[in-house]
Amino acid sequence: MDDLTLLSVEEMGEADQITIRGGTPGIELMETAGATVSDAIAARFTPRRTLVVCGPGNNGGDGFVVARLLREQGWDVALTLLGECDDLRGDAALAAAKWDGQVAALTPDLLDGVELLVDSLFGAGLARDIDGVAFDFLERARTMVNDGALTSVAVDMPSGVDGNTGAVRGGAVPAVMTVTFFRKKPGHMLYPGHALSGEIVVTDIGIRADVLREIDPATFENARELWAFALPRPDVASHKYTRGHAVISGGAMTGAGRLAARAARRTGAGLLTVAAPSDLCPLFSADAPGVIMAPVDDVAAFSDLLSDTRKNAVLVGPGHGVSEHTRSIAEEALSGERAVVLDADAISVFASEVEALSSLIRAPVVLTPHQGEFARLFPNLSGSKLEVARAAAELVGAVIVLKGSDTVIAAPDGRAAINGNAPPWLATGGTGDVLAGTVLGLLSQGMPAFEAAAAAVWINGAAASRFGPGLIAEDLPELFPRIFADDLGWSDISSNSSSRER
C-alpha cells in the first residue's frame, strides 16, 4: 500500500530531509531526479529542439541537470532561467555550475520554433500566484500547446499547479507527461491539476520507502490495495443471512431507489428490503422480483421494520425530496447500531445543522454528497476538496464521499483517499444513486465504512470504464459481476465453495 501514498508538499520536503540527514547529499538526489526525467523524455521522444525553463529553486536545479544530460545525448537543448545564476543557492547552484551552455533570460520569445518544453520553472510548493514575465511565458506556452505547436513535459508538477490542492496559481501549461519523485502529491490527483499533469511517471531517486513510517502520511490514491483486504467474499459457509440484510427507504421518485437497490444486490447483499409507502410498492417491485417489499406509510412503521436487528445497513435519501418526513426517516435510521448511508435529500435536510447530525451518529455512517449538497451541510468550510472533505468527516463523525471526477473519500480519523479511475461517462443521471447502493451493499456485508466507501467509488469507476461511451446508470450494476470476477479476483472462487441459499 506504500505505493498508493500521496505526500503533501510539506511531507515530501520532510522525506527529502530525512534522506539527507541519513547521509545522502541533496545534490545527489537532484542529480538522480534530473537523470530520471531525462531518461523518461528520451524513452518517449526522439531528439528535437528543446527548451528547458528553470526557476530559482530546487525545481530549477533539476532542470539544469535535465538540460545537461539531454545535451550529452545529442539533443538540441536551450536553457532559460527566471532570475540570475548568481542568485541560485545550495544544490540548485551546484547543478547550474555543471551546465556549460548559455543561460538565456526568460522571455516568451524563446519559445519560437521550440518543439519540446521541459517545464522546470516552479515545483509543487508554489506559494503564490504566478505573475510578471513568468506568467507571460507560461501563457504563451499554454497557447502553443493548445494549438498543437508545442509539447510540454513537467518536472514534479506543471508550473503554476499547487501540489497540495491541484489549483492553478495564476496560469499553467498542460503537460503530456509529468515526472515526479518518490510519491505522487494530492495536486496530481485533484482537478484541475490532474488534467494538466498528463501521464504521471513516479521515479525512484534514492529515498527509502521506510521514511513513510516516520512521516506517517494519511492520504492515498484510491486503488484495490487500499481496501481489498476488507472486501467481503462468500465461502462454503455463506448464505443469504450471513451476507447481510440491507434496507432502502424508497421515496416518491422511485427510479433512484430502484437503481440503488440493484447496485446493493449486485454488490453482494444477501437480502434487500425496500421500505416504501404502500402505493409505491408495486413500482419498486415491478422489475425486481428478488427485492422484498415492506409497505411503510409512516415513521412508526419504519421504526418497527428496523427493530429486526438482522437488518444491518440502511440507505436513506435517493428519490425522497427535502421534507420533514425525510429528516424523520433519516433520524430513525441513525437511531440504532446499524450502518447507515445518507445520500441526496437525506443530507440536504440537515443543511447547516452539522452538530445536530453529528449528535445522532452512533454507528458507521457514510455521507455521499455532491458539491451542492456538501455546501449546504457544511457552509462554513473552505479550502481544497481534500481539505474540506477531511474537515467535514472530523466534524460530523462520518465517512464523507465528496463526489466528482476526483471523488475524495475521507474518514473521521484523518485518512483520505482520492479517486482517479472515474471516466467522463459517469456524468449522467442516476450514477450517484448506484454509488450509494454500492456502499450500502458492502456495508451490509460487514465491510468497514471507509473501506466500503472507497471500494464502492472504485468499483463504479471500473464498471463505467469497462462500458465506455453511451453509459447510463442502469448499466453499472450489470457490470459489477465482471468487475468482481476479473478485477477483484473472485473468479478463483470455485463452484464447490460458492454460497448457497438456506
Side-chain angles (χ1 to χ4, degrees):
M1 196 174 77
D2 282 352
D3 289 345
L4 301 179
T5 300
L6 302 176
L7 294 181
S8 69
V9 173
E10 296 75 19
E11 289 169 336
M12 186 62 210
E14 187 177 354
D16 283 337
Q17 290 307 308
I18 292 170
T19 303
I20 291 169
R21 290 197 300 270
T24 302
I27 186 60
E28 183 175 322
L29 292 176
M30 186 171 287
E31 286 284 340
T32 305
T36 66
V37 175
S38 64
D39 288 346
I41 291 172
R44 178 158 183 161
F45 302 100
T46 56
R48 61 197 63 198
R49 188 175 179 189
T50 300
L51 177 65
V52 179
V53 56
C54 298
N58 282 345
N59 196 246
D62 296 338
F64 275 95
V65 177
V66 175
R68 187 184 80 239
L69 295 178
L70 287 177
R71 176 172 283 187
E72 288 175 359
Q73 296 176 55
W75 286 54
D76 178 6
V77 179
L79 185 146
T80 180
L81 173 67
L82 177 64
E84 302 291 334
C85 282
D86 290 344
D87 294 331
L88 296 174
R89 296 290 180 267
D91 298 326
L94 295 176
K98 294 184 178 181
W99 169 253
D100 59 3
Q102 181 182 1
V103 178
L106 185 66
T107 171
D109 293 342
L110 292 172
L111 289 163
D112 292 345
V114 170
E115 298 171 271
L116 178 68
L117 175 67
V118 179
D119 176 8
S120 194
L121 186 57
F122 299 111
L126 184 66
R128 61 179 180 84
D129 287 357
I130 295 173
D131 55 16
V133 67
F135 175 82
D136 294 340
F137 180 90
L138 292 178
E139 279 295 287
R140 172 79 189 283
R142 182 181 65 83
T143 299
M144 292 176 65
V145 168
N146 289 340
D147 290 344
L150 179 69
T151 299
S152 181
V153 171
V155 178
D156 188 33
M157 185 73 67
S159 292
V161 175
D162 188 307
N164 286 338
T165 70
V168 174
R169 304 293 301 267
V173 181
V176 69
M177 176 173 67
T178 295
V179 184
T180 193
F181 315 115
F182 184 52
R183 294 294 183 272
K184 295 179 187 177
K185 299 172 183 67
H188 290 124
M189 299 297 299
L190 295 168
Y191 281 85
H194 184 69
L196 293 167
S197 296
E199 177 190 0
I200 301 169
V201 178
V202 182
T203 64
D204 178 5
I205 61 171
I207 300 176
R208 293 167 57 94
D210 58 14
V211 306
L212 295 174
R213 286 195 287 274
E214 189 169 341
I215 296 171
D216 194 25
T219 307
F220 307 92
E221 182 175 356
N222 189 27
R224 287 166 287 194
E225 294 80 4
L226 188 65
W227 37 261
F229 70 93
L231 196 68
R233 290 166 63 98
D235 60 26
V236 67
S238 297
H239 52 79
K240 61 189 177 186
Y241 294 108
T242 63
R243 300 187 72 188
H245 190 153
V247 175
I248 293 175
S249 175
M253 293 176 282
T254 61
R258 289 155 65 192
L259 286 169
R262 191 76 170 180
R265 295 174 66 206
R266 284 294 191 195
T267 305
L271 292 165
L272 187 131
T273 292
V274 172
S278 302
D279 59 333
L280 297 180
C281 286
L283 295 176
F284 281 101
S285 61
D287 60 351
V291 168
I292 302 168
M293 290 307 310
V296 170
D297 293 307
D298 53 36
V299 177
F302 188 60
S303 177
D304 185 60
L305 177 73
L306 295 185
S307 65
D308 181 352
T309 57
R310 292 176 298 179
K311 296 179 174 66
N312 62 336
V314 183
L315 167 62
V316 183
H320 264 262
V322 178
S323 66
E324 283 300 318
H325 177 72
T326 298
R327 178 156 177 161
S328 296
I329 290 290
E331 290 174 347
E332 184 59 39
L334 292 165
S335 66
E337 298 300 320
R338 65 192 72 84
V340 176
V341 182
L342 297 183
D343 182 43
D345 296 329
I347 297 171
S348 294
V349 295
F350 292 99
S352 300
E353 295 187 56
V354 177
E355 290 185 5
L357 176 56
S358 179
S359 69
L360 297 169
I361 292 175
R362 53 177 58 92
V365 174
V366 178
L367 309 183
T368 57
H370 57 54
Q371 291 281 3
E373 292 156 352
F374 183 90
R376 286 192 284 274
L377 181 58
F378 302 101
N380 298 319
L381 292 182
S382 61
S384 73
K385 192 169 186 176
L386 175 62
E387 290 166 338
V388 298
R390 183 172 266 145
E394 183 179 2
L395 274 173
V396 77
V399 172
I400 300 291
V401 178
L402 184 49
K403 296 183 288 193
S405 52
D406 53 355
T407 294
V408 174
I409 307 99
D413 62 11
R415 288 177 297 161
I418 305 173
N419 194 65
N421 78 336
W425 328 123
L426 275 172
T428 186
T431 55
D433 304 312
V434 173
L435 175 63
T438 310
V439 178
L440 176 70
L442 294 173
L443 288 175
S444 72
Q445 297 171 81
M447 199 171 184
F450 176 74
E451 286 78 10
V457 171
W458 187 92
I459 289 166
N460 276 261
S465 295
R466 178 168 293 208
F467 189 94
L471 175 82
I472 57 176
E474 292 91 325
D475 298 319
L476 286 170
E478 306 316 302
L479 287 164
F480 288 180
R482 298 315 323 153
I483 299 302
F484 279 103
D486 299 342
D487 298 349
L488 298 177
W490 282 24
S491 58
D492 62 1
I493 300 177
S494 70
S495 58
N496 291 330
S497 62
S498 61
S499 61
R500 57 187 181 276
E501 184 174 355
R502 294 180 180 174

